[in-house]
């Protein structure tokens, strides 16, 4: 019965209680009637032995009929009790169904709905009031976050816009020496990338990333393009990088996905000891695109490796720079694209970082 619905269990419980009570009353009635009939049989037997057999037969007939009819009545009463229990439980649990419907329909963009359960001040109403209070707290929290994101957006975009304007105007007027122009153009390109990244990260912070509405991206191509930017670091540190890229088309924000890939590769090439190995693989598994990066490093327990996805946690590696946010951002981007990220040991002296994303519908 543990797997039965609550309503069915309550109905069966009511029926069982009614049946037990009916059987108890029937047993008491049967014993009383039997005692009275036995007393009458003994009285008749004292007067005439010839009538005793007839009286005993009447006694058995009366008790048997009474027992049969009583059992039938108890069965009918049990059925009526089950129906009544089913109806009563349905009325009581209907308010719980309202709680379930609200919980399923609630999202961070729809926190204004409230239950306001009617009925007596019982445990169910107390539960509804508690959920209403929780939703109110969540709504205030998300509104505070929205205000913070709006303020952060202004504070981050203003200096980028000012820097761009300070470079574009003199460049358009030809006030930079020819040998400086390439550097200025690179600075403007970096500024544009930073502005796009800030916009994408703010969009992610607001929870507005909708991969269905974004562009189609080949994850393998993104990894290849980002990896080219690490050629100098790889050569300078003598890293042995092996690459296995298979086309894996996903749907999402190209800027955010490139940032996630860049953070994974930056983490791998930064913390791998000089002369170590980095293995990069992109493929598909179980209908999902999968990026695997395995790099030499310290031997970690599964718990220590998983904590690398937490903000500001660097696993004790303090000498290679970084702020401990790269992999946390990777996880946020992956989750925002209906995917996931994990870090786990890949044997002694190796760490595996995995990012999975749903494949784009063809």
């Amino acid at each position: 019965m543990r797997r039965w619905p609550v309503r069915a269990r309550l109905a069966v419980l009511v029926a069982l209680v009614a049946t037990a009570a009916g059987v108890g009353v029937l047993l008491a009635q049967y014993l009383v009637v039997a005692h009275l009939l036995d007393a009458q049989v003994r009285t008749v037997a004292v007067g005439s032995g010839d009538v005793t057999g007839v009286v005993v037969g009447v006694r058995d007939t009366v008790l048997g009929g009474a027992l049969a009819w009583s059992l039938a009545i108890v069965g009918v009463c049990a059925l009526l009790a089950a129906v009544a229990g089913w109806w009563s439980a349905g009325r009581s649990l209907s308010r719980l169904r309202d709680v379930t419907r609200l919980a399923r329909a609630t999202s961070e963009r729809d926190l204004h709905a409230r239950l306001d359960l009617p009925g007596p001040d019982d445990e169910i109403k107390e539960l509804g009031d508690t959920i209403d209070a929780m939703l109110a707290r969540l709504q205030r929290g998300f509104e505070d976050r929205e205000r913070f994101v709006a303020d952060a957006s202004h504070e981050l975009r203003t200096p980028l816009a000012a820097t761009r304007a300070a470079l574009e105007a003199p460049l358009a007027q030809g006030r930079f020496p020819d040998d400086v122009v390439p550097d200025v153009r690179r600075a403007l390109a970096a500024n544009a990338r930073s502005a796009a990244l800030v916009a994408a990260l703010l969009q992610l912070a607001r929870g507005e990333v909708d991969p269905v509405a974004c562009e189609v991206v080949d994850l393998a191509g993104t990894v290849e393009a980002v990896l080219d930017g690490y050629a100098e670091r790889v050569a300078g540190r003598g890293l042995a990088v092996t690459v296995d890229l298979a086309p894996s088309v996903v749907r999402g924000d190209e800027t955010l996905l490139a940032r996630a890939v860049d953070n994974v590769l930056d983490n791998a090439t930064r913390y791998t000891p000089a002369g170590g190995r980095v293995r990069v693989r992109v493929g598909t598994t179980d209908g999902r695109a999968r990026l695997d990066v395995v790099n030499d490093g310290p031997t970690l327990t599964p718990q220590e490796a998983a904590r690398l996805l937490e903000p500001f946690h660097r696993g004790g590696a303090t000498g290679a720079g970084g702020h401990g946010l790269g992999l946390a951002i990777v996880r946020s981007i992956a989750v925002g694209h209906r995917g996931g990220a994990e870090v786990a040991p890949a044997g002694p002296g190796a760490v595996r970082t995995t990012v999975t994303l749903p494949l784009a519908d063809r």
Side-chain angles (χ1 to χ4, degrees):
M1 289 180 60
R2 292 182 178 180
R3 297 184 179 180
W4 290 12
V6 175
R7 187 177 185 182
R9 281 186 283 170
L10 287 175
V12 171
L13 178 62
V14 171
L16 289 177
V17 171
T19 303
V23 170
V25 172
L26 170 64
L27 179 62
Q29 180 185 16
Y30 182 88
L31 292 176
V32 170
V33 173
H35 174 72
L36 294 175
L37 289 176
D38 286 340
Q40 292 299 318
V41 169
R42 286 195 295 271
T43 301
V44 172
V46 172
S48 175
D50 298 335
V51 187
T52 302
V54 176
V55 173
V56 170
V58 172
R59 169 187 176 279
D60 293 340
T61 301
V62 170
L63 288 179
L67 181 61
W69 278 101
S70 298
L71 287 175
I73 293 172
V74 168
V76 172
C77 291
L79 180 60
L80 293 176
V83 173
W86 179 268
W87 177 80
S88 176
R91 286 181 58 86
S92 299
L93 296 176
S94 62
R95 294 185 294 166
L96 283 181
R97 286 195 291 270
D98 293 337
V99 175
T100 302
R101 280 194 294 268
L102 179 66
R104 287 176 177 170
T106 299
S107 68
E108 65 179 81
R109 296 291 159 191
D110 183 27
L111 291 173
H112 64 278
R114 297 292 183 270
L115 286 166
D116 292 329
L117 287 180
D121 292 330
D122 54 8
E123 291 81 358
I124 297 178
K125 183 169 176 54
E126 183 181 1
L127 172 62
D129 293 342
T130 301
I131 291 179
D132 285 344
M134 179 190 67
L135 289 175
R137 291 194 299 271
L138 287 174
Q139 185 176 13
R140 289 194 297 270
F142 280 109
E143 288 173 351
D144 292 342
R145 190 189 72 171
E146 288 289 341
R147 285 192 292 269
F148 171 78
V149 169
D151 294 340
S153 174
H154 175 74
E155 294 296 328
L156 291 172
R157 286 172 174 169
T158 298
L160 289 173
T163 302
R164 184 176 67 252
L167 293 175
E168 285 180 340
L171 181 64
Q173 297 168 5
R175 287 190 284 153
F176 286 115
D178 292 341
D179 59 334
V180 178
V181 169
D183 294 329
V184 174
R185 294 190 184 280
R186 282 194 293 271
L188 284 172
N191 181 280
R193 289 194 299 271
S194 298
L197 177 61
V198 167
L201 289 176
L202 289 173
Q203 183 185 32
L204 180 68
R206 292 190 182 104
E208 296 175 351
V209 175
D210 186 3
V212 176
C214 296
E215 61 262 53
V216 173
V217 181
D218 182 5
L219 186 60
T222 301
V223 171
E224 186 176 16
V226 173
L227 192 58
D228 289 341
Y230 287 93
E232 185 175 347
R233 178 188 291 183
V234 168
R237 305 192 68 233
L239 302 178
V241 179
T242 58
V243 180
D244 179 14
L245 305 179
S248 302
V249 179
V250 300
R251 188 179 294 275
D253 186 295
E254 188 172 9
T255 301
L256 285 176
L257 293 176
R259 172 53 57 183
V261 171
D262 183 75
N263 285 359
V264 172
L265 295 178
D266 176 73
N267 187 79
T269 56
R270 182 187 297 272
Y271 294 108
T272 299
R277 296 177 302 166
V278 178
R279 287 159 285 173
V280 182
R281 181 184 180 278
V282 174
T284 59
T285 304
D286 298 330
R288 300 175 73 85
R290 180 184 177 108
L291 165 64
D292 277 312
V293 178
V294 181
N295 62 282
D296 293 344
T299 300
L300 302 176
T301 65
Q303 293 76 18
E304 291 171 337
R307 288 193 63 195
L308 293 176
L309 292 169
E310 299 176 4
F312 306 108
H313 187 79
R314 299 165 56 194
T318 57
H323 302 285
L325 287 172
L327 292 181
I329 292 174
V330 169
R331 179 172 62 177
S332 296
I333 293 174
V335 171
H337 285 76
R338 317 294 192 266
E342 64 177 21
V343 181
V351 179
R352 180 191 306 276
T353 304
T354 302
V355 177
T356 58
L357 300 166
L359 291 173
D361 295 332
R362 298 285 182 160

